[in-house]
Amino acid sequence: MLTEQDKQIIRELQNGLPLVSRPFKVIAGKLNMTEEGLIERIRSFIAGGQIRRFGAAVRHQDLGYLYNAMVVWDVSDEKATETGLMMADFEEVTHCYQRPRCLGWPYNLFTMVHGLSREECVRIAEKISKATGEKNYKLLFSTAELKKSSMRYFE
Amino acid sequence: MELDSLDRKLLKIIQADFPLVPEPYRAIGEALEITEDEVIARIKNMVDSGLIRRLGGIFDSRRLGYRGALCAVKTDSDSISQVAAVVNSFSGVTHNYLREHDYNMWFTILAESEEKLEEIISEINKHPLIQEIIVLPAEKIFKIKVNFDLA
C-alpha cells in the first residue's frame, strides 16, 4: 500500500525533476524529507515496479519515427500467450497486449509498431506474420493525434 | 530540434540510466566530460523544444492501483472534433488517435478504480454523437517499451 507521503512523492515526481544542481534536495525540502531518504524511496519504487523507469520521456516523432501502426491480430485463444510472447520479442514492437474480442471486433492481440515510413510498418507486420504463421491481421495507421498527455496520478 | 552527437549521448543516458545520486547532472557531466552547467543547459533545450516530454518517473499505473482500458468509437467525419472534445475532457484519457478503420477514434483511459473507469466510459457512451464503443482492457501485457533508440 502507498502511504500519503508516497503519493506526495509521486505527485512531485510527475511535475518533473528540477534542472538544478541538487534536484532531489529541492523536492525533499518540499516534502519534509531528507535528500537521502527521497532517493532511497525512489529506488524502492523502482525495485517494487511502481516506477517503471526513471529519466526522460521522449516524443518519438521527434526522433524520426513518424509513422505508427496498431497491428491487430486474430489469434486462436490457445496460441495467444505463446504468440504474444513471440511478437513481443521483435525489436520493432514497442507494446504488445492481449485484449478481449467483442461483437464486430475479432482481434485479440495488439502490437504497436513504429517506423520511419508507412512501408516500413507494413514490412514489420509482414515479418511478424511470417515468423508466427498468423495471417489474420490488420494495420490501423494513425492519421491524427488528438491527445497525448502524461497521466497525473493522485490528483 | 537538431541534435548533435553529444545531445544524443546525453539523451541515451537520461532515458535509460539516469543517475539516482544527489548531484545527477554533475555525474552525467563526468561521464560525458562536460560541465554540470552544460548538461543542464542541453537538457533544458530539449525540454523547451518539446523533444523531452518529461523528466522524472515513468509510473506503472497498475502497480499504483489504477485501472485502464483501450476504447474505440465509431464517429462521423463531421463530428470528430466535437466527439474528441468530449472524450479528451477527461483527464484520465491520456492518448487519443484517429485511425484508419470503421472504429476510427482510439483512446486510452486510466482511472483510480474499476468503478471510476466504468463511470467515465458510461459518461462518454451517453454522448449522442457516439454511435458505438468497444472497451478493450488489457488481459495480458507482453511488452511495454518506453525507451526509443535514436533514429
Side-chain angles (χ1 to χ4, degrees):
Chain A
M1 264 319 274
L2 297 170
T3 64
E4 202 41 55
Q5 187 181 54
D6 288 341
K7 292 181 184 177
Q8 279 180 1
I9 294 172
I10 290 164
R11 274 184 218 118
E12 284 297 328
L13 289 180
Q14 59 197 5
N15 287 334
L17 201 63
L19 289 169
V20 297
S21 186
R22 296 179 69 175
F24 298 108
K25 195 177 175 196
V26 172
I27 295 177
K30 289 189 201 172
L31 303 179
N32 272 322
M33 297 177 75
T34 63
E35 183 182 35
E36 274 308 306
L38 174 63
I39 292 175
E40 245 345 281
R41 197 71 194 111
I42 295 173
R43 284 184 196 280
S44 75
F45 282 150
I46 295 171
Q50 289 92 348
I51 291 182
R52 193 181 284 136
R53 187 167 65 77
F54 192 89
V58 168
R59 282 181 61 88
H60 50 77
Q61 292 93 332
D62 291 352
L63 294 176
Y65 293 94
L66 284 173
Y67 294 83
N68 82 75
M70 186 172 77
V71 189
V72 294
W73 308 78
D74 175 4
V75 175
S76 73
D77 291 342
E78 308 80 69
K79 285 173 69 186
T81 300
E82 180 198 342
T83 308
L85 289 169
M86 269 179 89
M87 290 178 175
D89 268 344
F90 282 83
E91 185 62 33
E92 300 92 335
V93 170
T94 58
H95 297 71
C96 183
Y97 296 91
Q98 184 176 349
R99 300 183 185 277
R101 306 170 204 269
C102 49
L103 198 65
W105 186 260
Y107 305 101
N108 58 339
L109 288 184
F110 290 64
T111 51
M112 286 301 310
V113 302
H114 296 261
L116 305 179
S117 68
R118 220 180 141 97
E119 296 69 39
E120 192 184 355
C121 294
V122 172
R123 277 198 303 275
I124 295 166
E126 283 169 357
K127 192 166 85 174
I128 298 171
S129 171
K130 225 171 175 180
T132 56
E134 297 297 338
K135 296 193 175 68
N136 280 329
Y137 68 95
K138 251 195 173 107
L139 280 80
L140 277 66
F141 282 97
S142 72
T143 54
E145 183 183 284
L146 302 176
K147 186 172 186 183
K148 182 161 189 176
S149 60
S150 294
M151 182 61 187
R152 303 199 53 102
Y153 298 98
F154 307 117
E155 286 187 354
Chain B
M1 72 179 276
E2 286 295 315
L3 299 177
D4 65 20
S5 74
L6 203 51
D7 287 326
R8 286 170 183 269
K9 283 182 195 159
L10 174 58
L11 198 52
K12 201 167 178 180
I13 293 178
I14 62 177
Q15 274 199 96
D17 213 6
F18 193 95
L20 289 170
V21 296
E23 296 176 296
Y25 307 115
R26 178 181 302 276
I28 295 166
E30 277 163 14
L32 294 175
E33 298 180 322
I34 56 176
T35 64
E36 178 185 43
D37 286 344
E38 189 174 352
V39 170
I40 289 176
R42 282 175 180 264
I43 295 176
K44 190 172 180 308
N45 259 332
M46 292 189 243
V47 172
D48 290 344
S49 77
L51 170 62
I52 294 178
R53 284 194 290 128
R54 206 156 58 89
L55 189 64
I58 291 137
F59 298 96
D60 183 327
S61 56
R62 290 186 162 229
R63 296 264 169 95
L64 297 182
Y66 276 63
R67 291 295 168 259
L70 174 69
C71 300
V73 298
K74 291 182 185 177
T75 178
D76 291 337
S77 53
D78 304 339
S79 40
I80 282 170
S81 61
Q82 272 169 284
V83 173
V86 174
V87 169
N88 293 352
S89 70
F90 294 91
S91 65
V93 172
T94 54
H95 296 65
N96 186 358
Y97 292 93
L98 290 183
R99 295 189 181 279
E100 297 166 342
H101 193 270
D102 287 345
Y103 286 105
N104 52 345
M105 192 182 292
W106 290 79
F107 52 93
T108 54
I109 309 179
L110 281 173
E112 64 249 33
S113 65
E114 200 69 51
E115 295 73 49
K116 188 80 196 154
L117 180 65
E118 281 165 22
E119 215 178 287
I120 296 172
I121 292 167
S122 79
E123 248 341 275
I124 290 174
N125 203 11
K126 262 192 233 156
H127 197 275
L129 288 172
I130 292 173
Q131 300 157 10
E132 254 177 87
I133 185 166
I134 50 176
V135 180
L136 307 168
E139 292 175 326
K140 277 191 189 141
I141 299 173
F142 299 110
K143 185 180 198 177
I144 299 178
K145 181 180 167 187
V146 278
N147 276 352
F148 272 87
D149 297 331
L150 301 180

mmCIF file of all heavy atoms in Angstrom, chain B residues 29-74:
data_model
loop_
_atom_site.group_PDB
_atom_site.id
_atom_site.type_symbol
_atom_site.label_atom_id
_atom_site.label_comp_id
_atom_site.label_asym_id
_atom_site.label_seq_id
_atom_site.Cartn_x
_atom_site.Cartn_y
_atom_site.Cartn_z
ATOM 1 N N GLY B 29 27.697 14.735 -16.403
ATOM 2 C CA GLY B 29 28.754 15.553 -16.997
ATOM 3 C C GLY B 29 30.104 14.859 -16.923
ATOM 4 O O GLY B 29 30.880 14.874 -17.882
ATOM 5 N N GLU B 30 30.367 14.219 -15.787
ATOM 6 C CA GLU B 30 31.640 13.495 -15.654
ATOM 7 C C GLU B 30 31.731 12.382 -16.679
ATOM 8 O O GLU B 30 32.766 12.177 -17.300
ATOM 9 C CB GLU B 30 31.799 12.951 -14.225
ATOM 10 C CG GLU B 30 32.335 14.015 -13.270
ATOM 11 C CD GLU B 30 32.137 13.671 -11.803
ATOM 12 O OE1 GLU B 30 31.833 12.494 -11.482
ATOM 13 O OE2 GLU B 30 32.286 14.602 -10.971
ATOM 14 N N ALA B 31 30.612 11.682 -16.893
ATOM 15 C CA ALA B 31 30.622 10.579 -17.863
ATOM 16 C C ALA B 31 30.857 11.099 -19.285
ATOM 17 O O ALA B 31 31.469 10.420 -20.110
ATOM 18 C CB ALA B 31 29.307 9.800 -17.789
ATOM 19 N N LEU B 32 30.363 12.304 -19.571
ATOM 20 C CA LEU B 32 30.465 12.846 -20.935
ATOM 21 C C LEU B 32 31.620 13.838 -21.083
ATOM 22 O O LEU B 32 31.812 14.404 -22.162
ATOM 23 C CB LEU B 32 29.145 13.540 -21.317
ATOM 24 C CG LEU B 32 27.901 12.653 -21.447
ATOM 25 C CD1 LEU B 32 26.666 13.494 -21.716
ATOM 26 C CD2 LEU B 32 28.087 11.638 -22.564
ATOM 27 N N GLU B 33 32.325 14.084 -19.992
ATOM 28 C CA GLU B 33 33.426 15.047 -19.975
ATOM 29 C C GLU B 33 32.974 16.461 -20.359
ATOM 30 O O GLU B 33 33.610 17.145 -21.152
ATOM 31 C CB GLU B 33 34.593 14.575 -20.855
ATOM 32 C CG GLU B 33 35.152 13.264 -20.338
ATOM 33 C CD GLU B 33 36.321 12.735 -21.161
ATOM 34 O OE1 GLU B 33 36.273 12.881 -22.391
ATOM 35 O OE2 GLU B 33 37.261 12.198 -20.555
ATOM 36 N N ILE B 34 31.832 16.853 -19.796
ATOM 37 C CA ILE B 34 31.382 18.246 -19.915
ATOM 38 C C ILE B 34 30.959 18.725 -18.525
ATOM 39 O O ILE B 34 30.847 17.917 -17.600
ATOM 40 C CB ILE B 34 30.197 18.417 -20.925
ATOM 41 C CG1 ILE B 34 29.016 17.507 -20.556
ATOM 42 C CG2 ILE B 34 30.656 18.166 -22.347
ATOM 43 C CD1 ILE B 34 27.789 17.698 -21.429
ATOM 44 N N THR B 35 30.724 20.018 -18.405
ATOM 45 C CA THR B 35 30.383 20.553 -17.080
ATOM 46 C C THR B 35 28.919 20.250 -16.743
ATOM 47 O O THR B 35 28.094 19.992 -17.626
ATOM 48 C CB THR B 35 30.565 22.079 -17.022
ATOM 49 O OG1 THR B 35 29.634 22.675 -17.941
ATOM 50 C CG2 THR B 35 31.987 22.486 -17.380
ATOM 51 N N GLU B 36 28.644 20.336 -15.437
ATOM 52 C CA GLU B 36 27.275 20.186 -14.958
ATOM 53 C C GLU B 36 26.367 21.245 -15.613
ATOM 54 O O GLU B 36 25.249 20.936 -16.047
ATOM 55 C CB GLU B 36 27.282 20.370 -13.430
ATOM 56 C CG GLU B 36 25.925 20.303 -12.782
ATOM 57 C CD GLU B 36 26.011 20.614 -11.287
ATOM 58 O OE1 GLU B 36 26.730 21.562 -10.899
ATOM 59 O OE2 GLU B 36 25.355 19.897 -10.510
ATOM 60 N N ASP B 37 26.869 22.483 -15.711
ATOM 61 C CA ASP B 37 26.068 23.559 -16.313
ATOM 62 C C ASP B 37 25.703 23.242 -17.757
ATOM 63 O O ASP B 37 24.597 23.529 -18.214
ATOM 64 C CB ASP B 37 26.831 24.896 -16.272
ATOM 65 C CG ASP B 37 26.843 25.470 -14.861
ATOM 66 O OD1 ASP B 37 26.032 25.009 -14.032
ATOM 67 O OD2 ASP B 37 27.667 26.361 -14.595
ATOM 68 N N GLU B 38 26.641 22.656 -18.480
ATOM 69 C CA GLU B 38 26.350 22.342 -19.874
ATOM 70 C C GLU B 38 25.312 21.226 -19.978
ATOM 71 O O GLU B 38 24.425 21.258 -20.833
ATOM 72 C CB GLU B 38 27.622 21.957 -20.641
ATOM 73 C CG GLU B 38 27.306 21.864 -22.127
ATOM 74 C CD GLU B 38 28.516 21.638 -23.020
ATOM 75 O OE1 GLU B 38 29.659 21.687 -22.525
ATOM 76 O OE2 GLU B 38 28.288 21.408 -24.219
ATOM 77 N N VAL B 39 25.413 20.238 -19.071
ATOM 78 C CA VAL B 39 24.403 19.167 -19.048
ATOM 79 C C VAL B 39 23.023 19.770 -18.845
ATOM 80 O O VAL B 39 22.066 19.491 -19.585
ATOM 81 C CB VAL B 39 24.707 18.137 -17.931
ATOM 82 C CG1 VAL B 39 23.535 17.165 -17.751
ATOM 83 C CG2 VAL B 39 25.991 17.372 -18.235
ATOM 84 N N ILE B 40 22.913 20.650 -17.839
ATOM 85 C CA ILE B 40 21.619 21.268 -17.525
ATOM 86 C C ILE B 40 21.120 22.103 -18.711
ATOM 87 O O ILE B 40 19.948 22.009 -19.096
ATOM 88 C CB ILE B 40 21.735 22.121 -16.230
ATOM 89 C CG1 ILE B 40 21.900 21.178 -15.030
ATOM 90 C CG2 ILE B 40 20.502 23.016 -16.052
ATOM 91 C CD1 ILE B 40 22.133 21.873 -13.699
ATOM 92 N N ALA B 41 22.013 22.867 -19.326
ATOM 93 C CA ALA B 41 21.610 23.715 -20.460
ATOM 94 C C ALA B 41 21.114 22.863 -21.631
ATOM 95 O O ALA B 41 20.106 23.194 -22.279
ATOM 96 C CB ALA B 41 22.780 24.591 -20.898
ATOM 97 N N ARG B 42 21.806 21.776 -21.897
ATOM 98 C CA ARG B 42 21.399 20.921 -23.024
ATOM 99 C C ARG B 42 20.057 20.231 -22.747
ATOM 100 O O ARG B 42 19.216 20.119 -23.625
ATOM 101 C CB ARG B 42 22.481 19.874 -23.324
ATOM 102 C CG ARG B 42 23.656 20.445 -24.095
ATOM 103 C CD ARG B 42 24.770 19.427 -24.275
ATOM 104 N NE ARG B 42 25.881 20.004 -25.007
ATOM 105 C CZ ARG B 42 26.066 19.875 -26.325
ATOM 106 N NH1 ARG B 42 25.225 19.157 -27.049
ATOM 107 N NH2 ARG B 42 27.103 20.433 -26.920
ATOM 108 N N ILE B 43 19.875 19.756 -21.509
ATOM 109 C CA ILE B 43 18.589 19.133 -21.183
ATOM 110 C C ILE B 43 17.474 20.176 -21.280
ATOM 111 O O ILE B 43 16.405 19.920 -21.839
ATOM 112 C CB ILE B 43 18.608 18.490 -19.768
ATOM 113 C CG1 ILE B 43 19.600 17.332 -19.716
ATOM 114 C CG2 ILE B 43 17.203 17.976 -19.402
ATOM 115 C CD1 ILE B 43 19.763 16.699 -18.335
ATOM 116 N N LYS B 44 17.750 21.375 -20.790
ATOM 117 C CA LYS B 44 16.744 22.434 -20.823
ATOM 118 C C LYS B 44 16.315 22.720 -22.275
ATOM 119 O O LYS B 44 15.123 22.877 -22.557
ATOM 120 C CB LYS B 44 17.287 23.701 -20.169
ATOM 121 C CG LYS B 44 16.220 24.757 -19.967
ATOM 122 C CD LYS B 44 16.716 25.922 -19.141
ATOM 123 C CE LYS B 44 15.625 26.973 -18.945
ATOM 124 N NZ LYS B 44 14.987 27.416 -20.192
ATOM 125 N N ASN B 45 17.285 22.753 -23.172
ATOM 126 C CA ASN B 45 16.983 22.928 -24.595
ATOM 127 C C ASN B 45 16.029 21.871 -25.123
ATOM 128 O O ASN B 45 15.110 22.155 -25.879
ATOM 129 C CB ASN B 45 18.274 22.819 -25.417
ATOM 130 C CG ASN B 45 18.766 24.186 -25.808
ATOM 131 O OD1 ASN B 45 17.953 25.111 -25.941
ATOM 132 N ND2 ASN B 45 20.063 24.328 -25.980
ATOM 133 N N MET B 46 16.299 20.625 -24.733
ATOM 134 C CA MET B 46 15.476 19.514 -25.227
ATOM 135 C C MET B 46 14.078 19.551 -24.612
ATOM 136 O O MET B 46 13.107 19.150 -25.243
ATOM 137 C CB MET B 46 16.157 18.173 -24.937
ATOM 138 C CG MET B 46 17.431 17.957 -25.745
ATOM 139 S SD MET B 46 18.046 16.264 -25.575
ATOM 140 C CE MET B 46 19.619 16.541 -24.811
ATOM 141 N N VAL B 47 13.987 20.036 -23.377
ATOM 142 C CA VAL B 47 12.671 20.188 -22.748
ATOM 143 C C VAL B 47 11.906 21.331 -23.426
ATOM 144 O O VAL B 47 10.750 21.181 -23.817
ATOM 145 C CB VAL B 47 12.803 20.452 -21.225
ATOM 146 C CG1 VAL B 47 11.443 20.793 -20.612
ATOM 147 C CG2 VAL B 47 13.415 19.239 -20.514
ATOM 148 N N ASP B 48 12.594 22.465 -23.614
ATOM 149 C CA ASP B 48 11.945 23.639 -24.222
ATOM 150 C C ASP B 48 11.462 23.347 -25.639
ATOM 151 O O ASP B 48 10.417 23.843 -26.062
ATOM 152 C CB ASP B 48 12.904 24.842 -24.244
ATOM 153 C CG ASP B 48 13.155 25.391 -22.847
ATOM 154 O OD1 ASP B 48 12.368 25.038 -21.934
ATOM 155 O OD2 ASP B 48 14.119 26.147 -22.662
ATOM 156 N N SER B 49 12.229 22.548 -26.382
ATOM 157 C CA SER B 49 11.832 22.260 -27.764
ATOM 158 C C SER B 49 10.725 21.203 -27.815
ATOM 159 O O SER B 49 10.174 20.938 -28.875
ATOM 160 C CB SER B 49 13.033 21.770 -28.562
ATOM 161 O OG SER B 49 13.291 20.416 -28.235
ATOM 162 N N GLY B 50 10.414 20.576 -26.680
ATOM 163 C CA GLY B 50 9.354 19.580 -26.645
ATOM 164 C C GLY B 50 9.834 18.162 -26.937
ATOM 165 O O GLY B 50 9.053 17.214 -26.873
ATOM 166 N N LEU B 51 11.123 18.016 -27.265
ATOM 167 C CA LEU B 51 11.645 16.667 -27.527
ATOM 168 C C LEU B 51 11.497 15.798 -26.277
ATOM 169 O O LEU B 51 11.028 14.665 -26.349
ATOM 170 C CB LEU B 51 13.117 16.751 -27.949
ATOM 171 C CG LEU B 51 13.864 15.427 -28.031
ATOM 172 C CD1 LEU B 51 13.258 14.510 -29.080
ATOM 173 C CD2 LEU B 51 15.340 15.649 -28.343
ATOM 174 N N ILE B 52 11.885 16.356 -25.131
ATOM 175 C CA ILE B 52 11.661 15.643 -23.868
ATOM 176 C C ILE B 52 10.311 16.090 -23.328
ATOM 177 O O ILE B 52 10.072 17.265 -23.116
ATOM 178 C CB ILE B 52 12.770 15.955 -22.845
ATOM 179 C CG1 ILE B 52 14.104 15.384 -23.337
ATOM 180 C CG2 ILE B 52 12.411 15.368 -21.475
ATOM 181 C CD1 ILE B 52 15.270 15.678 -22.402
ATOM 182 N N ARG B 53 9.402 15.115 -23.178
ATOM 183 C CA ARG B 53 8.075 15.437 -22.657
ATOM 184 C C ARG B 53 8.125 15.672 -21.159
ATOM 185 O O ARG B 53 7.375 16.457 -20.618
ATOM 186 C CB ARG B 53 7.096 14.295 -22.947
ATOM 187 C CG ARG B 53 6.625 14.250 -24.399
ATOM 188 C CD ARG B 53 5.420 13.350 -24.542
ATOM 189 N NE ARG B 53 5.759 11.951 -24.367
ATOM 190 C CZ ARG B 53 5.139 11.139 -23.534
ATOM 191 N NH1 ARG B 53 4.159 11.553 -22.761
ATOM 192 N NH2 ARG B 53 5.498 9.871 -23.451
ATOM 193 N N ARG B 54 8.975 14.909 -20.508
ATOM 194 C CA ARG B 54 9.020 14.967 -19.054
ATOM 195 C C ARG B 54 10.306 14.333 -18.555
ATOM 196 O O ARG B 54 10.800 13.370 -19.145
ATOM 197 C CB ARG B 54 7.829 14.213 -18.469
ATOM 198 C CG ARG B 54 7.405 14.673 -17.103
ATOM 199 C CD ARG B 54 5.945 14.318 -16.883
ATOM 200 N NE ARG B 54 5.733 12.890 -17.018
ATOM 201 C CZ ARG B 54 5.836 12.050 -15.995
ATOM 202 N NH1 ARG B 54 6.150 12.457 -14.806
ATOM 203 N NH2 ARG B 54 5.604 10.763 -16.190
ATOM 204 N N LEU B 55 10.814 14.873 -17.460
ATOM 205 C CA LEU B 55 11.972 14.268 -16.820
ATOM 206 C C LEU B 55 11.513 13.861 -15.427
ATOM 207 O O LEU B 55 11.078 14.711 -14.646
ATOM 208 C CB LEU B 55 13.095 15.316 -16.740
ATOM 209 C CG LEU B 55 14.466 14.850 -16.296
ATOM 210 C CD1 LEU B 55 15.048 13.863 -17.292
ATOM 211 C CD2 LEU B 55 15.412 16.044 -16.146
ATOM 212 N N GLY B 56 11.556 12.609 -15.134
ATOM 213 C CA GLY B 56 11.092 12.182 -13.811
ATOM 214 C C GLY B 56 10.768 10.699 -13.834
ATOM 215 O O GLY B 56 11.401 9.931 -14.546
ATOM 216 N N GLY B 57 9.748 10.311 -13.067
ATOM 217 C CA GLY B 57 9.394 8.900 -13.003
ATOM 218 C C GLY B 57 8.369 8.541 -14.062
ATOM 219 O O GLY B 57 7.474 9.318 -14.347
ATOM 220 N N ILE B 58 8.543 7.375 -14.661
ATOM 221 C CA ILE B 58 7.514 6.841 -15.546
ATOM 222 C C ILE B 58 6.865 5.700 -14.773
ATOM 223 O O ILE B 58 7.521 4.721 -14.419
ATOM 224 C CB ILE B 58 8.122 6.389 -16.880
ATOM 225 C CG1 ILE B 58 8.566 7.661 -17.626
ATOM 226 C CG2 ILE B 58 7.110 5.622 -17.734
ATOM 227 C CD1 ILE B 58 9.865 7.575 -18.264
ATOM 228 N N PHE B 59 5.591 5.874 -14.462
ATOM 229 C CA PHE B 59 4.954 5.010 -13.480
ATOM 230 C C PHE B 59 4.233 3.839 -14.118
ATOM 231 O O PHE B 59 3.805 3.904 -15.273
ATOM 232 C CB PHE B 59 3.966 5.831 -12.645
ATOM 233 C CG PHE B 59 4.633 6.926 -11.867
ATOM 234 C CD1 PHE B 59 4.682 8.219 -12.365
ATOM 235 C CD2 PHE B 59 5.255 6.660 -10.657
ATOM 236 C CE1 PHE B 59 5.332 9.230 -11.659
ATOM 237 C CE2 PHE B 59 5.898 7.663 -9.944
ATOM 238 C CZ PHE B 59 5.941 8.945 -10.456
ATOM 239 N N ASP B 60 4.092 2.765 -13.359
ATOM 240 C CA ASP B 60 3.292 1.622 -13.778
ATOM 241 C C ASP B 60 1.916 1.812 -13.157
ATOM 242 O O ASP B 60 1.746 1.648 -11.949
ATOM 243 C CB ASP B 60 3.951 0.333 -13.276
ATOM 244 C CG ASP B 60 3.191 -0.908 -13.740
ATOM 245 O OD1 ASP B 60 1.945 -0.837 -13.873
ATOM 246 O OD2 ASP B 60 3.841 -1.938 -13.947
ATOM 247 N N SER B 61 0.947 2.181 -13.993
ATOM 248 C CA SER B 61 -0.363 2.572 -13.457
ATOM 249 C C SER B 61 -1.001 1.451 -12.636
ATOM 250 O O SER B 61 -1.620 1.699 -11.612
ATOM 251 C CB SER B 61 -1.281 3.010 -14.596
ATOM 252 O OG SER B 61 -1.401 1.995 -15.551
ATOM 253 N N ARG B 62 -0.834 0.205 -13.075
ATOM 254 C CA ARG B 62 -1.442 -0.918 -12.346
ATOM 255 C C ARG B 62 -0.866 -1.065 -10.952
ATOM 256 O O ARG B 62 -1.578 -1.323 -9.981
ATOM 257 C CB ARG B 62 -1.225 -2.222 -13.099
ATOM 258 C CG ARG B 62 -2.031 -2.255 -14.364
ATOM 259 C CD ARG B 62 -1.911 -3.605 -15.030
ATOM 260 N NE ARG B 62 -2.995 -3.740 -15.980
ATOM 261 C CZ ARG B 62 -3.795 -4.784 -16.065
ATOM 262 N NH1 ARG B 62 -3.611 -5.819 -15.276
ATOM 263 N NH2 ARG B 62 -4.763 -4.804 -16.946
ATOM 264 N N ARG B 63 0.461 -0.905 -10.888
ATOM 265 C CA ARG B 63 1.114 -1.039 -9.578
ATOM 266 C C ARG B 63 0.754 0.104 -8.645
ATOM 267 O O ARG B 63 0.943 0.012 -7.447
ATOM 268 C CB ARG B 63 2.639 -1.094 -9.757
ATOM 269 C CG ARG B 63 3.112 -2.300 -10.524
ATOM 270 C CD ARG B 63 3.532 -3.416 -9.582
ATOM 271 N NE ARG B 63 3.735 -4.661 -10.286
ATOM 272 C CZ ARG B 63 4.907 -5.096 -10.720
ATOM 273 N NH1 ARG B 63 5.984 -4.389 -10.505
ATOM 274 N NH2 ARG B 63 5.005 -6.238 -11.346
ATOM 275 N N LEU B 64 0.247 1.200 -9.216
ATOM 276 C CA LEU B 64 -0.227 2.301 -8.364
ATOM 277 C C LEU B 64 -1.702 2.121 -8.023
ATOM 278 O O LEU B 64 -2.306 2.971 -7.384
ATOM 279 C CB LEU B 64 -0.023 3.649 -9.060
ATOM 280 C CG LEU B 64 1.419 4.069 -9.366
ATOM 281 C CD1 LEU B 64 1.451 5.451 -10.012
ATOM 282 C CD2 LEU B 64 2.287 4.068 -8.110
ATOM 283 N N GLY B 65 -2.292 1.005 -8.489
ATOM 284 C CA GLY B 65 -3.680 0.715 -8.165
ATOM 285 C C GLY B 65 -4.678 1.236 -9.190
ATOM 286 O O GLY B 65 -5.881 1.111 -9.000
ATOM 287 N N TYR B 66 -4.184 1.804 -10.286
ATOM 288 C CA TYR B 66 -5.079 2.338 -11.312
ATOM 289 C C TYR B 66 -5.536 1.231 -12.264
ATOM 290 O O TYR B 66 -4.863 0.212 -12.439
ATOM 291 C CB TYR B 66 -4.374 3.454 -12.106
ATOM 292 C CG TYR B 66 -4.448 4.803 -11.418
ATOM 293 C CD1 TYR B 66 -3.849 4.986 -10.174
ATOM 294 C CD2 TYR B 66 -5.120 5.869 -11.995
ATOM 295 C CE1 TYR B 66 -3.924 6.216 -9.531
ATOM 296 C CE2 TYR B 66 -5.191 7.105 -11.356
ATOM 297 C CZ TYR B 66 -4.593 7.268 -10.131
ATOM 298 O OH TYR B 66 -4.672 8.478 -9.498
ATOM 299 N N ARG B 67 -6.696 1.443 -12.895
ATOM 300 C CA ARG B 67 -7.209 0.517 -13.895
ATOM 301 C C ARG B 67 -7.393 1.262 -15.210
ATOM 302 O O ARG B 67 -7.673 2.461 -15.210
ATOM 303 C CB ARG B 67 -8.559 -0.067 -13.436
ATOM 304 C CG ARG B 67 -8.420 -1.004 -12.240
ATOM 305 C CD ARG B 67 -7.612 -2.267 -12.614
ATOM 306 N NE ARG B 67 -7.218 -3.053 -11.457
ATOM 307 C CZ ARG B 67 -6.000 -3.028 -10.911
ATOM 308 N NH1 ARG B 67 -5.061 -2.229 -11.383
ATOM 309 N NH2 ARG B 67 -5.715 -3.789 -9.869
ATOM 310 N N GLY B 68 -7.251 0.533 -16.318
ATOM 311 C CA GLY B 68 -7.325 1.230 -17.602
ATOM 312 C C GLY B 68 -7.936 0.377 -18.689
ATOM 313 O O GLY B 68 -8.146 -0.826 -18.517
ATOM 314 N N ALA B 69 -8.248 1.014 -19.796
ATOM 315 C CA ALA B 69 -8.751 0.294 -20.964
ATOM 316 C C ALA B 69 -8.441 1.094 -22.222
ATOM 317 O O ALA B 69 -8.341 2.317 -22.184
ATOM 318 C CB ALA B 69 -10.261 0.066 -20.860
ATOM 319 N N LEU B 70 -8.296 0.340 -23.305
ATOM 320 C CA LEU B 70 -8.259 0.952 -24.628
ATOM 321 C C LEU B 70 -9.696 0.939 -25.138
ATOM 322 O O LEU B 70 -10.378 -0.078 -25.019
ATOM 323 C CB LEU B 70 -7.365 0.118 -25.554
ATOM 324 C CG LEU B 70 -7.321 0.530 -27.030
ATOM 325 C CD1 LEU B 70 -6.596 1.870 -27.207
ATOM 326 C CD2 LEU B 70 -6.585 -0.545 -27.852
ATOM 327 N N CYS B 71 -10.162 2.056 -25.643
ATOM 328 C CA CYS B 71 -11.524 2.135 -26.161
ATOM 329 C C CYS B 71 -11.491 2.628 -27.597
ATOM 330 O O CYS B 71 -10.582 3.352 -28.000
ATOM 331 C CB CYS B 71 -12.365 3.120 -25.359
ATOM 332 S SG CYS B 71 -12.518 2.688 -23.629
ATOM 333 N N ALA B 72 -12.509 2.215 -28.354
ATOM 334 C CA ALA B 72 -12.631 2.716 -29.715
ATOM 335 C C ALA B 72 -14.083 3.074 -29.977
ATOM 336 O O ALA B 72 -14.999 2.394 -29.489
ATOM 337 C CB ALA B 72 -12.155 1.663 -30.719
ATOM 338 N N VAL B 73 -14.307 4.152 -30.710
ATOM 339 C CA VAL B 73 -15.664 4.527 -31.081
ATOM 340 C C VAL B 73 -15.745 4.751 -32.588
ATOM 341 O O VAL B 73 -14.742 5.016 -33.252
ATOM 342 C CB VAL B 73 -16.156 5.810 -30.350
ATOM 343 C CG1 VAL B 73 -16.183 5.605 -28.855
ATOM 344 C CG2 VAL B 73 -15.315 7.017 -30.713
ATOM 345 N N LYS B 74 -16.958 4.593 -33.102
ATOM 346 C CA LYS B 74 -17.236 4.945 -34.496
ATOM 347 C C LYS B 74 -17.875 6.322 -34.484
ATOM 348 O O LYS B 74 -18.837 6.554 -33.743
ATOM 349 C CB LYS B 74 -18.227 3.955 -35.111
ATOM 350 C CG LYS B 74 -17.669 2.574 -35.319
ATOM 351 C CD LYS B 74 -18.716 1.691 -35.984
ATOM 352 C CE LYS B 74 -18.197 0.261 -36.085
ATOM 353 N NZ LYS B 74 -19.190 -0.658 -36.647
#
